[in-house]
Amino acid sequence: MQAVQNEAGGLYFLDAPGSTGKTFVISLILENIRVQEKIALALASSGIAATLLDGGRTAHSALKLPLNVQVIENPTCNISRNSAMAKVLQQTAIILLDECTMTHK
């Protein structure tokens, strides 16, 4: 929360065994950011995990990632610089990716 308040950026991992409340903590962080009227994106590597997050979507869907990343040497998202999604990403205070260790690349 301090990194978001200070706009410091960073990459943080929440690692714990199953059924210990990780999704609950993520939901609390999302709600806290959104109460401050900031943009918080809830992404997940799988559709099932995305349904557990308020406003959650899969990373492939939200970021327009290619589905065949195994075949493409340098996969990139398909979001143009001046699109509405690009503007949302630029204004986003935090992106939470649930189950990030489950993603392929």
Side-chain angles (χ1 to χ4, degrees):
M1 292 304 302
Q2 199 170 22
V4 172
Q5 294 296 332
N6 298 334
E7 296 182 5
L11 185 63
Y12 303 92
F13 288 95
L14 175 60
D15 187 23
S19 300
T20 57
K22 295 181 296 293
T23 303
F24 179 73
V25 170
I26 290 171
S27 296
L28 287 176
I29 293 170
L30 287 168
E31 189 59 31
N32 192 304
I33 299 298
R34 291 172 179 163
V35 164
Q36 299 172 33
E37 298 183 1
K38 295 181 181 179
I39 298 174
L41 294 181
L43 306 179
S45 60
S46 70
I48 293 171
T51 61
L52 298 174
L53 300 172
D54 183 33
R57 295 178 60 189
T58 63
H60 282 86
S61 170
L63 302 176
K64 300 185 187 304
L65 299 175
L67 292 175
N68 56 349
V69 292
Q70 297 89 350
V71 179
I72 301 173
E73 183 67 29
N74 295 314
T76 58
C77 64
N78 191 19
I79 299 174
S80 64
R81 289 181 188 246
N82 297 323
S83 68
M85 186 58 183
K87 291 176 183 167
V88 168
L89 287 172
Q90 291 169 359
Q91 296 173 359
T92 299
I94 190 169
I95 299 173
L96 292 172
L97 179 58
D98 193 14
E99 295 186 351
C100 66
T101 57
M102 302 302 288
T103 57
H104 178 68
K105 283 189 176 183

